[in-house]
Amino acid sequence: MNETDLKKILRDLTWQEKVGQLIQLSGDFFSSEDALTVGPKQKLGITQEMVDLAGSVLNVAGASKTREIQEKWLQKSRHKIPLLFMADIVYGYRTVFPIPLGLGATWNPELIEQAYKVTAAESKAAGVHVTFAPMVDLVRDARWGRCLESTGEDATLNAAFARAMVTGLQHVETGKITGIASCVKHFAAYGAAEGGREYNTVDMSERRLREDYLPGYQAAVDAGSELVMTSFNTYDGTPVTGSEFLLKQILREEWGFDGVIISDYAAVQELVAHGIAADEKEATLLAMKATNDIDMKTGCYAKQLEPLVQEGKLDPGLIDEAVWRVLKLKNKLGLFEDPYRGASSERERKVLLTEENRDLAYQVAAQSMVLLENKNNTLPLAKNEQKILLVGPYGDNQNLIGLWAIHGNTSDVITIKEAISQHVSASKFSYSAGCEMPSDYHFLGEFGGSKEQLERMPLAERKQALAEALEQGKQADVIIYAMGEHTMQSGEAGSRTDITLPDVQKEFIQEMLALGKTNILVTISGRPLVLTEEANQMDAILQAWFPGTEGGRVIADILFGEINPSGRLSMSFPYTVGQLPIYYNGFQTGRPLNSETHKGRFVSKYLDSPNAPLYPFGYGLSYSNVELSSLTLDAEEMVDQLHVSVQIKNNSSRGGFETVQLYVQDIVGSVVRPTRELKKFKKVYLKAQENTAIHFTLTREDLFYYTKKMDFTVEPGDFNLFVGLNSRDTLSASFTLK
Ligand code: GLC
């Protein structure tokens, strides 16, 4: 529709119709049985008339369902304004990829762009118009359950993935969104919740906000994300959903974002709980003045916008501007011409979970898993040479897709047990669960969980399970432990203070270690767990995350050497939970461990823990033996560019991927500067015995930062430059910026 006609619709809308476009309701409001909608309406205190005018739907997917609702809707809509279907499709629709913390570990934005293109195609076939993704919150605290959804702790890496995910999802061709609209979230700095406690306060300097936390969102906006979702947290004392500084000044005025801003779930109403609004009316005013366009799942906008205008407290133009942004989005998606965007059951059958999509999920999972330990080259295992016992609650478990894969089917997942059995003969392989997941399921909370989930296995059964595992372990040469956290122990509202393996699993491991076999741990988790004990006990450790639909197969293929693991951590693994928050690019402090002037006690350290993480940012092992040498800069002084090269040699008979990482240190700044910052990275495939050079070009813009005066610029001076296969073990050089 051309904008003239669209403007005409806007002009013709009644107030109620305008307000309706700014409301998002969940699927239960759109049930065909009215009786089912009475409760939800009462809970929000809104009328059926307002429900009938709502502009968008939360988390309904499936071609037949979305078509049914849309059809019914358009019959009632005076201007035939289609509904917008928005859903949480964060790392896959029916084909589920690894969780984003695993995607970050691929260091391969180009591959992830393909994954999100597939995700968009599947979602579009299912009638979804907008996905609440990518989530680009920078994370430094593994206690926070939503590390799961983030690509990690580094602004440069997060920005690269943000761009790739938005581009893959929207897949714009000749100016048209041929995929689905992306909604980057959660703006802003939600990942910095104090103590890693969910929904907790966020407070930091504007410098840190801009330097570390905003680049991911800005990259998504610059890549054309059509929507932005506000976050639950405060920043500098103001909840983001009511923050004119963040939403108007930074997002709209500085970055020029003219798309739709949608609140997170009930976040408008929560301005009252935050204590920044006395009631829903004040909350509505704050959110609308901050230019938050859509109120997700509360009655605030529905009940308060019109009274605020009538009382002269709210400029009606703000409502028109918000409605205009929503109508433009619907128009951009072509909904006025085709309210279904080609969604149909037939299309779903054609594009969902195809062999190609499964294969892509396999490739992504293969590049996401991180080999953390491999003592004496325990891995890869030879086939049918040793007797293998698989134990642990994830051994024969299809729950490998993680908390936010709400439209995926665990029934599509090949279990680790099934996948291993395809590598070895039955005479060489056995399985025994051995122990429960956690010892108690209190964390299921209101999700309830099935009755048997809520109760422990009876003691006799627990003893029996252990006895069987021990008996089978005695016959085995190698024991593979498929361990980790329950799906519901991470993700939203999954903050935890003890992020070691569950006690019941640790106790079981202790019993099995006594058998003196070769021990291999595979960890399934939505966050970095504290694996310090296991690092000492195990011969090998493979971090598998929640690896998605193809995860079980990939784990087996890595264990048996079909895949050479290439994942590199995008988030530090702490030595102990007491180190958190921990991240690689911190400041030197006045008394660094290697201080020249202070020795022993009086330096920046803990009395009871190392400062260093157990496994650092960028770290991971492979089955190859790769080394870097001959780091060369093309000049000692840099004006506009600096050309950097390094030699990389694969001293093994195995081809594989490696990620070469380039960091810089601005030695003296007008404010303190990180000891190292990732600026460039390249993931390369090296054939057996390949010896080649890797080249980088560093530009002045790469060295920009927020100076003491908060100017985003660069300051001449001396720099150190580091190149390595992780953030810790690096070659170094130095240069002077003129
Ligand atoms: C949730 C999450 C957000 C999600 C939204 C809609 O509370 O914070 O990530 O997109 O609600 O389900």
Side-chain angles (χ1 to χ4, degrees):
M1 179 184 293
N2 65 55
E3 288 217 342
T4 308
D5 294 343
L6 197 62
K7 279 272 190 207
K8 191 174 175 309
I9 289 180
L10 177 61
R11 276 197 306 275
D12 290 352
L13 291 179
T14 65
W15 268 119
Q16 284 291 311
E17 288 168 334
K18 287 180 182 177
V19 170
Q21 288 302 307
L22 307 184
I23 296 168
Q24 177 166 102
L25 299 174
S26 46
D28 48 342
F29 285 84
F30 300 87
S31 157
S32 41
E33 294 86 58
D34 285 352
L36 292 179
T37 62
V38 170
K41 281 185 292 190
Q42 281 170 342
K43 193 173 172 203
L44 256 56
I46 59 175
T47 62
Q48 184 57 45
E49 184 199 11
M50 188 46 82
V51 171
D52 289 344
L53 294 173
S56 61
V57 186
L58 169 61
N59 271 329
V60 171
S64 57
K65 186 75 185 153
T66 53
R67 291 188 71 98
E68 177 200 345
I69 292 174
Q70 188 74 285
E71 234 160 277
K72 195 178 102 179
W73 205 254
L74 290 172
Q75 284 158 9
K76 287 186 295 187
S77 169
R78 193 161 69 91
H79 289 280
K80 305 300 172 205
I81 302 174
L83 275 169
L84 206 48
F85 287 88
M86 304 195 201
D88 288 291
I89 300 162
V90 185
Y91 50 92
Y93 178 67
R94 178 70 190 279
T95 303
V96 179
F97 295 93
I99 56 170
L101 202 52
L103 302 180
T106 67
W107 288 64
N108 193 340
E110 295 72 24
L111 178 66
I112 301 316
E113 181 179 329
Q114 295 313 308
Y116 278 66
K117 203 168 147 191
V118 160
T119 296
E122 292 192 350
S123 307
K124 185 178 176 183
V128 174
H129 304 144
V130 175
T131 180
F132 297 127
M135 187 275 217
V136 300
D137 304 335
L138 185 128
V139 287
R140 292 172 162 171
D141 194 323
R143 291 171 293 182
W144 193 49
R146 302 194 78 164
C147 301
L148 178 148
E149 303 163 64
S150 169
T151 48
E153 72 187 48
D154 181 78
T156 300
L157 193 60
N158 284 359
F161 281 109
R163 276 190 291 275
M165 291 170 173
V166 169
T167 306
L169 285 169
Q170 299 194 155
H171 193 222
V172 175
E173 281 183 348
T174 59
K176 285 202 175 308
I177 299 172
T178 63
I180 59 176
S182 77
C183 175
V184 61
K185 68 185 182 184
H186 306 80
F187 187 79
Y190 179 25
E194 282 179 5
R197 197 182 83 214
E198 187 58 284
Y199 313 126
N200 203 7
T201 303
V202 167
D203 217 347
M204 63 180 75
S205 67
E206 184 180 335
R207 176 188 319 286
R208 169 158 286 191
L209 174 76
R210 290 178 179 277
E211 196 77 47
D212 298 333
Y213 286 86
L214 291 188
Y217 310 108
Q218 186 163 14
V221 166
D222 291 349
S225 183
E226 292 292 340
L227 297 93
V228 174
M229 180 187 288
T230 66
S231 55
F232 291 118
N233 54 283
T234 55
Y235 170 71
D236 189 23
T238 303
V240 172
T241 307
S243 168
E244 293 193 36
F245 168 65
L246 280 167
L247 303 187
K248 262 185 87 175
Q249 181 187 322
I250 292 185
L251 187 51
R252 295 221 188 269
E253 289 159 12
E254 282 185 32
W255 296 357
F257 178 69
D258 189 31
V260 172
I261 298 177
I262 182 170
S263 76
D264 201 340
Y265 192 103
V268 172
Q269 190 177 55
E270 288 174 10
L271 298 177
V272 179
H274 273 291
I276 195 97
D279 52 33
E280 287 189 352
K281 184 176 279 187
E282 276 188 27
T284 300
L285 185 58
L286 281 171
M288 186 46 76
K289 285 174 72 176
T291 75
N292 177 76
D293 298 316
I294 295 179
D295 173 10
M296 183 192 290
K297 197 66 192 304
T298 86
C300 291
Y301 278 23
K303 292 179 284 186
Q304 306 297 346
L305 278 177
E306 214 174 333
L308 282 165
V309 170
Q310 284 162 356
E311 294 162 20
K313 291 177 181 164
L314 178 67
D315 169 5
L318 286 178
I319 296 176
D320 283 342
E321 286 167 17
V323 176
W324 179 238
R325 287 188 283 263
V326 173
L327 292 179
K328 278 195 301 182
L329 174 60
K330 293 185 175 184
N331 199 33
K332 262 189 166 181
L333 287 165
L335 290 176
F336 289 97
E337 289 73 32
D338 175 6
Y340 311 105
R341 299 194 84 224
S344 70
S345 302
E346 186 204 349
R347 182 117 192 92
E348 283 179 315
R349 280 190 295 277
K350 213 167 154 202
V351 306
L352 265 54
L353 202 63
T354 62
E355 276 316 300
E356 295 80 7
N357 294 359
R358 269 193 179 273
D359 183 55
L360 184 59
Y362 177 95
Q363 295 305 325
V364 173
Q367 294 199 28
S368 72
M369 296 186 194
V370 185
L371 184 60
L372 296 175
E373 296 287 347
N374 193 22
K375 297 166 189 165
N376 310 313
N377 295 317
T378 299
L379 292 175
L381 295 171
K383 295 185 182 183
N384 293 321
E385 281 183 16
Q386 299 164 296
K387 287 198 77 168
I388 293 167
L389 169 66
L390 172 67
V391 293
Y394 273 112
D396 191 22
N397 187 333
Q398 291 181 296
N399 285 304
L400 300 180
I401 60 178
L403 186 84
W404 272 113
I406 55 181
H407 303 286
N409 292 343
T410 53
S411 56
D412 298 331
V413 174
I414 309 289
T415 67
I416 299 171
K417 176 183 171 226
E418 207 172 324
I420 290 178
S421 64
Q422 289 165 16
H423 282 274
V424 292
S425 59
S427 63
K428 292 282 186 182
F429 175 51
S430 59
Y431 162 73
S432 178
C435 69
E436 302 158 279
M437 183 79 73
S439 50
D440 66 271
Y441 287 86
H442 67 277
F443 53 82
L444 280 176
E446 75 283 358
F447 278 85
S450 56
K451 188 173 179 318
E452 60 274 6
Q453 271 187 328
L454 290 171
E455 283 165 6
R456 289 213 66 178
M457 204 191 279
L459 183 57
E461 281 185 44
R462 296 205 302 266
K463 286 184 171 174
Q464 178 61 26
L466 174 58
E468 273 172 20
L470 284 167
E471 194 46 45
Q472 295 194 38
K474 286 174 192 157
Q475 318 306 322
D477 303 309
V478 176
I479 302 174
I480 298 170
Y481 303 76
M483 301 298 201
E485 57 183 354
H486 187 281
T487 296
M488 297 299 292
Q489 286 183 294
S490 64
E492 183 172 358
S495 293
R496 298 200 289 135
T497 59
D498 175 0
I499 53 174
T500 60
L501 284 175
D503 288 347
V504 67
Q505 295 180 29
K506 291 173 86 73
E507 288 153 16
F508 172 69
I509 289 173
Q510 288 307 334
E511 298 276 358
M512 297 297 284
L513 289 175
L515 297 174
K517 307 294 182 178
T518 298
N519 300 292
I520 297 161
L521 173 65
V522 176
T523 39
I524 306 295
S525 69
R527 57 162 43 95
L529 295 174
V530 172
L531 299 173
T532 308
E533 265 181 46
E534 291 74 23
N536 292 324
Q537 295 165 337
M538 294 290 165
D539 298 297
I541 299 179
L542 178 67
Q543 173 63 29
W545 315 110
F546 283 101
T549 308
E550 287 293 305
R553 213 193 302 273
V554 168
I555 289 168
D557 286 0
I558 287 178
L559 293 177
F560 288 97
E562 311 279 324
I563 298 167
N564 187 354
S566 63
R568 299 291 178 262
L569 296 179
S570 63
M571 186 175 182
S572 306
F573 269 53
Y575 183 88
T576 169
V577 74
Q579 289 180 321
L580 296 175
I582 189 168
Y583 45 99
Y584 82 94
N585 49 347
F587 301 132
Q588 177 98 313
T589 78
R591 294 194 178 188
L593 273 179
N594 57 358
S595 167
E596 296 300 318
T597 50
H598 299 277
K599 293 296 175 203
R601 182 184 180 87
F602 300 98
V603 292
S604 179
K605 68 171 186 172
Y606 300 100
L607 288 177
D608 56 359
S609 161
N611 289 4
L614 181 65
Y615 304 112
F617 176 77
Y619 171 85
L621 302 174
S622 80
Y623 294 151
S624 308
N625 169 16
V626 173
E627 63 179 354
L628 297 178
S629 61
S630 315
L631 172 60
T632 312
L633 311 185
D634 70 338
E636 287 184 2
E637 292 189 350
M638 173 180 172
V639 180
D640 293 323
Q641 291 187 340
L642 185 72
H643 297 287
V644 181
S645 68
V646 67
Q647 209 58 30
I648 185 168
K649 173 111 175 34
N650 178 359
N651 299 308
S652 80
S653 58
R654 272 183 179 276
F657 287 102
E658 269 299 348
T659 300
V660 184
Q661 303 154 36
L662 185 152
Y663 300 84
V664 300
Q665 178 188 17
D666 183 354
I667 298 169
V668 178
S670 58
V671 289
V672 295
R673 309 288 294 117
T675 52
R676 51 189 63 191
E677 299 172 84
L678 179 74
K679 290 299 176 186
K680 301 286 179 186
F681 60 91
K682 275 187 184 173
K683 184 162 193 174
V684 294
Y685 185 84
L686 296 169
K687 297 194 289 293
Q689 299 301 331
E690 185 170 357
N691 185 355
T692 186
I694 304 292
H695 301 281
F696 297 103
T697 299
L698 205 57
T699 65
R700 282 185 92 78
E701 289 67 33
D702 290 326
L703 304 176
F704 274 35
Y705 83 105
Y706 286 89
T707 62
K708 186 165 184 58
K709 288 188 286 180
M710 287 298 283
D711 296 325
F712 188 57
T713 182
V714 69
E715 293 165 334
D718 295 336
F719 285 75
N720 289 326
L721 183 139
F722 309 96
V723 174
L725 301 178
N726 63 61
S727 60
R728 178 190 63 198
D729 314 312
T730 52
L731 302 175
S732 61
S734 55
F735 64 92
T736 300
L737 179 74
K738 298 313 269 180

